[in-house]
Amino acid sequence: MDLLAQADNAVDGLKALGAGLGYGLAAIGPGVGIGLVVGNAITAMARQPESAGMVRTTMFLGIAFTEALALIGFVVFILLNFT
Amino acid sequence: MNALSGLLAASEGESSNPIIPAWFEVVWGSIAFFLLLIVMWKLALPPIRRAMEARTERIQGDLDAAATAKTEAEELRASYDARLAEANAEAARIIEEARAQAEEVRQERLAAIEPEIAERRAQAEADIAAARERAMAEVRADITSIAVGAAEQVVMASIDEAAHAQLIEDYIERVGN
Amino acid sequence: MNLLALTFPDIAHLLEWPGLFGHDDGTNAWYALNKVGIIYLFAFVAPVLIFVSAKRRYDRSEVIVAPRGIQNVAETSVGFIRENIIMQSIGPDGLRYLPFLLSIFLFIFFSNITEVVPLIHFPANARMAMPVTLAILVWLVFNGIGIKHHGFFGYLKNVVVPPGVPKALLPLVALIEFVSTFVVRPFSLAVRLFANMLAGHLLLVTFAVLSHTVFWLALTDDTPTWLVIITPAPFLMLIGLTGFEILVAVLQAFIFTILTAVYIGGALHPEH
């Protein structure tokens, strides 16, 4: 096989590898973070059911902010893989 | 294999970066969004918000009126209850008074009538005693006169034993009749 | 990619649509109307139909009427935006922005929900067009409100100088706050909506393709038995994910709207 073509294949493969690893690594932190947010929100709701509505809204906000990091990882994955 | 791509009827053009927005989509999306915004702002929302607020006000008004009515009814009931209790107490007092008065009157009457009864009883007893005395006297006189008569008869017919017995017999029979 | 004779379609096949008109040589002109554009128009027409039919009922009846039928949908969405979004994140003085927030919510919701509508199966927000446009619009609106209420420099000071920060840390905090408010906010707003819908769409496509492939494989003669047995599995997963994507469609519309409200509230009352 042509050496140049091989190098090209290698670059493509590394790109795919990097994209996959990047997304997986980017998902770790937000996964833990969302777990913490929701877990604490449930504790708060169980302790004070009367403020459950406010806690739920704040929980969704927290999830949205935390999730943004994972989504940026996903976007990087798309950028690397599909361009 | 690509039945799916046929279903999707996707573009055959060169693949572009999905992160970069496509201008023609921005154009149509913006048109749709701003139309929606204008329709909502100027046409659709104001009457709905007005109606919702009017309904909220009316329901709140109804609730307030109901609360007021309930308070009034409770006050009314409390006053009725108080008056009822008052009337009951009054009635009980009047009945008690009447009973006491009646008892008093009865005692008075009883006290008044007692000597009369005693007097009448004494009178009656005296009458009975007198009547009995009279009757006894009469009976005694009668028996005496009868005995005298019988003795006369016996004395007059003392000759004959048999006649004597006959006479007594006759007399007794006569007297017996 | 080739696994079990499974061909995953190229991403361009999933996301890029030829225009009904204005489409020459595989490229779309600036006025081309494609499936995405039609979904955006649907997201304009559907809420308008709901609200106009509700409005006609108010116009017809002089007296106050109890809500009925489609009117309930309109009133519930208005009540939801007012009670759960504006009252909780801005306060009573945010009620002026109800039409804006309601439009954003309904527009995003109706262009998301087409992801699970049969025969459409495409969330328009999986294209970057409207997420980025709306994010820029929200950026303009909340900064405009802040400048209008506090003046340009007053607003800038509110943004970059949070209360109770030690003097020594101030330059660092100011830089972070500046970047997070003026750069990260619109960026994350757009990317969150776009990436959520794109990820959902790719997930549904993956399981649809898998179901399709496994089903056709099960019909051929020389397929191993284990593959026939697991045939329903991807399809069941697809059903579950469809339910999940309905949730995501609602949730993303809600999050975009409430973040908009929070940003507006922050521009109005910087002390919070």
Side-chain angles (χ1 to χ4, degrees):
Chain A
M1 212 192 247
D2 189 6
L3 244 163
L4 257 174
Q6 271 189 14
D8 217 29
N9 272 346
V11 168
D12 276 357
L14 284 175
K15 254 173 136 180
L17 194 65
L21 274 180
Y23 174 65
L25 290 173
I28 293 174
V32 175
I34 291 176
L36 285 176
V37 169
V38 177
N40 285 323
I42 288 171
T43 312
M45 284 187 219
R47 285 203 182 150
Q48 276 178 307
E50 66 273 10
S51 66
M54 206 194 71
V55 171
R56 194 175 300 118
T57 309
T58 320
M59 179 186 84
F60 281 131
L61 281 180
I63 290 176
F65 285 127
T66 319
E67 189 193 40
L69 296 169
L71 292 174
I72 289 167
F74 176 73
V75 168
V76 169
F77 168 80
I78 288 174
L79 277 177
L80 282 177
N81 236 8
F82 294 116
T83 49
Chain B
M1 181 52 236
N2 260 336
L4 199 83
S5 69
L7 185 82
L8 291 165
S11 171
E12 301 300 320
E14 82 276 15
S15 134
S16 60
N17 192 334
I19 303 291
I20 308 298
W23 278 111
F24 59 98
E25 287 171 4
V26 173
V27 168
W28 285 105
S30 306
I31 290 173
F33 179 73
F34 283 104
L35 280 178
L36 178 65
L37 186 60
I38 290 165
V39 171
M40 282 292 162
W41 203 315
K42 297 295 174 199
L43 291 176
L45 261 180
I48 288 179
R49 286 177 80 178
R50 261 201 308 279
M52 283 175 78
E53 267 154 31
R55 191 183 312 128
T56 307
E57 259 168 39
R58 181 170 146 180
I59 291 172
Q60 191 59 51
D62 285 356
L63 288 178
D64 287 349
T68 318
K70 195 186 165 197
T71 324
E72 271 171 13
E74 269 169 4
E75 271 167 19
L76 205 63
R77 202 192 137 176
S79 84
Y80 276 156
D81 278 353
R83 274 158 68 182
L84 197 63
E86 213 172 277
N88 273 339
E90 179 75 14
R93 193 180 60 76
I94 287 171
I95 288 169
E96 197 49 48
E97 237 169 51
R99 186 177 290 143
Q101 244 168 13
E103 184 64 23
E104 207 173 298
V105 168
R106 196 173 80 93
Q107 291 298 340
E108 250 170 45
R109 290 265 174 86
L110 224 53
I113 218 161
E114 198 74 37
E116 202 183 318
I117 289 169
E119 195 184 317
R120 285 212 183 155
R121 181 178 289 152
Q123 181 84 44
E125 274 171 4
D127 283 357
I128 289 164
R132 190 183 184 179
E133 204 65 37
R134 224 171 25 244
M136 289 294 279
E138 272 172 23
V139 166
R140 196 171 294 132
D142 281 357
I143 287 174
T144 311
S145 70
I146 287 163
V148 168
E152 269 173 9
Q153 294 291 330
V154 168
V155 170
M156 276 187 330
S158 60
I159 306 108
D160 192 354
E161 187 80 43
H164 189 199
Q166 188 63 47
L167 275 174
I168 293 171
E169 195 85 19
D170 287 350
Y171 184 77
I172 289 172
E173 205 160 307
R174 221 166 54 211
V175 169
N177 291 337
Chain C
M1 280 191 277
N2 209 307
L3 178 75
L4 301 172
L6 185 152
T7 319
F8 194 83
D10 184 42
I11 192 133
H13 284 282
L14 300 179
L15 298 178
E16 289 172 19
W17 308 86
L20 293 179
F21 53 84
H23 176 70
D24 320 303
D25 310 329
T27 55
N28 291 304
W30 65 268
Y31 56 88
L33 178 64
N34 65 353
K35 187 175 180 178
V36 178
I38 291 169
I39 292 171
Y40 285 142
L41 291 179
F42 161 76
F44 155 63
V45 171
V48 165
L49 283 182
I50 290 173
F51 275 77
V52 166
S53 76
K55 177 181 176 293
R56 277 176 56 204
R57 219 168 110 67
Y58 296 119
D59 293 346
R60 241 183 290 136
S61 49
E62 290 299 312
V63 293
I64 298 165
V65 287
R68 201 194 304 155
I70 203 112
Q71 202 182 347
N72 273 316
V73 179
E75 293 200 359
T76 307
S77 60
V78 173
F80 172 74
I81 300 291
R82 189 168 61 190
E83 302 304 326
N84 289 17
I85 292 183
I86 294 179
M87 284 306 184
Q88 289 206 4
S89 49
I90 307 179
D93 55 343
L95 285 177
R96 301 177 49 211
Y97 309 108
L98 181 67
F100 179 62
L101 294 169
L102 183 66
S103 300
I104 285 186
F105 179 79
L106 291 173
F107 187 80
I108 293 177
F109 172 71
F110 278 103
S111 47
N112 278 349
I113 202 68
T114 50
E115 181 177 14
V116 293
V117 172
L119 304 182
I120 305 179
H121 282 307
F122 186 76
N125 289 322
R127 301 293 289 153
M128 200 50 163
M130 269 334 261
V132 82
T133 310
L134 288 177
I136 291 170
L137 182 65
V138 167
W139 187 87
L140 290 174
V141 165
F142 83 78
N143 285 326
I145 289 169
I147 290 170
K148 192 180 139 202
H149 279 81
H150 305 285
F152 183 78
F153 290 103
Y155 175 60
L156 199 64
K157 182 180 160 294
N158 284 337
V159 169
V160 301
V161 186
V165 175
K167 275 272 186 306
L169 280 175
L170 200 56
L172 187 63
V173 171
L175 185 67
I176 290 173
E177 286 291 326
F178 185 87
V179 170
S180 93
T181 303
F182 295 116
V183 180
V184 174
R185 274 183 184 185
F187 176 73
S188 71
L189 212 51
V191 163
R192 180 177 302 113
L193 178 58
F194 158 74
N196 262 299
M197 296 329 290
L198 178 58
H201 184 55
L202 290 183
L203 214 55
L204 289 185
V205 167
T206 307
F207 279 93
V209 170
L210 200 60
S211 307
H212 174 96
T213 313
V214 169
F215 182 72
W216 284 110
L217 274 178
L219 289 185
T220 55
D221 286 336
D222 52 348
T223 311
T225 320
W226 65 269
L227 201 63
V228 177
I229 290 170
I230 63 156
T231 302
F235 186 66
L236 293 177
M237 191 72 188
L238 184 62
I239 292 172
L241 281 175
T242 302
F244 178 68
E245 288 307 318
I246 294 174
L247 174 74
V248 168
V250 180
L251 204 60
Q252 288 309 314
F254 170 67
I255 285 177
F256 198 102
T257 316
I258 198 166
L259 282 175
T260 305
V262 167
Y263 295 159
I264 291 176
L268 272 181
H269 318 290
E271 61 274 11
H272 297 316

